[in-house]
Amino acid sequence: TNTKIKANIKINKLDQDKNKVIGAEFTLYNNEDKIIATAVTNTDGIALFEDVVYGDYYIKESKTPKGYIGTDKNVEVRVENNNKEYFYEVENTRIKGVLEISKTDKNDNPLKGAEFTVYDSYDKEIQKAVTDENGLAKFENLVYGSYYYVETKAPEGYVLDSNIHAFEIKDNGVVLKETVNNEQIVGNIKVVKVDENNNLLANA
């Protein structure tokens, strides 16, 4: 008797920062384009195809997890050594975007010195930024997900905007542009005119 050659194929799924990617689906095809098996990356970022028999194969990423950009590169595999583990790394790029806040007064004049803070959906602080002379505050490399920002410091002479502004990063490389207005601090001044005996004086 002869035992057919079999081996395991392991795919290690990482993002561009070498973090493990969970939930990516891969499909194994033979050289006649027939589907042999599918596997999904586990908590270690590993998708495993076991007991693959001798022959030529290719592997495609058939489902990309949310927040990542899929790859159209195939992994070519030739199984020819018994009980060998064939190991390959496949990288996905995380979706990232930019938030740009424009700070103005009620007449649309830019305001310098306003501080904004971005938080994720779990209320964790992500980044702070202060508006420049053009009234712009920029937040870069925000990964896919839900966020909100608040004004944490108003420019001198202006009322702090206490509103919570929600936004989402869904598409790679997109610059989200937001405008926030500030009201100038105003008040009244009253002058009471008296003489040296504190008698009220009109017409001053």
Side-chain angles (χ1 to χ4, degrees):
T1 58
N2 281 80
T3 302
K4 203 159 192 179
I5 289 173
K6 290 183 179 180
N8 294 338
I9 303 171
K10 185 182 282 187
I11 302 292
N12 184 27
K13 189 68 166 173
L14 303 169
D15 67 14
Q16 69 267 39
D17 301 316
K18 301 302 179 184
N19 298 310
K20 301 167 186 174
V21 178
I22 302 168
E25 181 189 85
F26 289 91
T27 301
L28 176 69
Y29 296 83
N30 64 14
N31 58 359
E32 296 176 347
D33 300 324
K34 180 183 176 181
I35 294 176
I36 305 301
T38 59
V40 178
T41 55
N42 59 19
T43 54
D44 294 319
I46 299 295
L48 179 63
F49 297 94
E50 296 183 286
D51 296 329
V52 181
V53 299
Y54 179 93
D56 291 318
Y57 301 88
Y58 66 93
I59 298 170
K60 293 178 70 171
E61 183 177 332
S62 45
K63 187 176 180 181
T64 304
K66 282 185 178 181
Y68 294 87
I69 300 170
T71 177
D72 56 1
K73 292 181 180 178
N74 295 341
V75 177
E76 307 285 341
V77 185
R78 167 168 282 187
V79 174
E80 55 186 353
N81 296 309
N82 196 48
N83 293 326
K84 181 177 178 179
E85 184 173 87
Y86 294 86
F87 184 83
Y88 301 90
E89 282 191 357
V90 178
E91 185 177 292
N92 273 93
T93 301
R94 279 192 101 173
I95 289 174
K96 292 184 177 182
V98 175
L99 171 67
E100 188 178 272
I101 300 173
S102 177
K103 189 65 170 174
T104 62
D105 62 17
K106 65 179 181 180
N107 297 315
D108 294 329
N109 297 309
L111 295 177
K112 180 181 178 182
E115 180 190 82
F116 289 93
T117 305
V118 169
Y119 298 85
D120 66 14
S121 57
Y122 300 100
D123 301 323
K124 178 184 175 183
E125 182 181 314
I126 303 301
Q127 289 186 44
K128 284 184 185 293
V130 178
T131 55
D132 59 18
E133 60 274 4
N134 297 312
L136 297 178
K138 205 169 188 179
F139 300 86
E140 299 184 286
N141 293 318
L142 295 172
V143 299
Y144 178 95
S146 298
Y147 300 89
Y148 66 91
Y149 67 87
V150 293
E151 184 177 2
T152 43
K153 184 179 178 183
E156 186 175 353
Y158 289 83
V159 179
L160 185 75
D161 174 31
S162 58
N163 294 315
I164 292 174
H165 304 269
F167 68 99
E168 288 184 307
I169 299 295
K170 295 189 290 185
D171 300 303
N172 194 55
V174 169
V175 179
L176 298 178
K177 297 192 176 185
E178 300 266 322
T179 300
V180 179
N181 298 114
N182 274 81
E183 291 289 332
Q184 201 163 21
I185 293 172
V186 296
N188 297 323
I189 301 172
K190 183 165 74 173
V191 178
V192 180
K193 186 69 172 176
V194 297
D195 64 14
E196 68 271 20
N197 297 317
N198 286 327
N199 297 310
L200 298 173
L201 297 177
N203 300 320

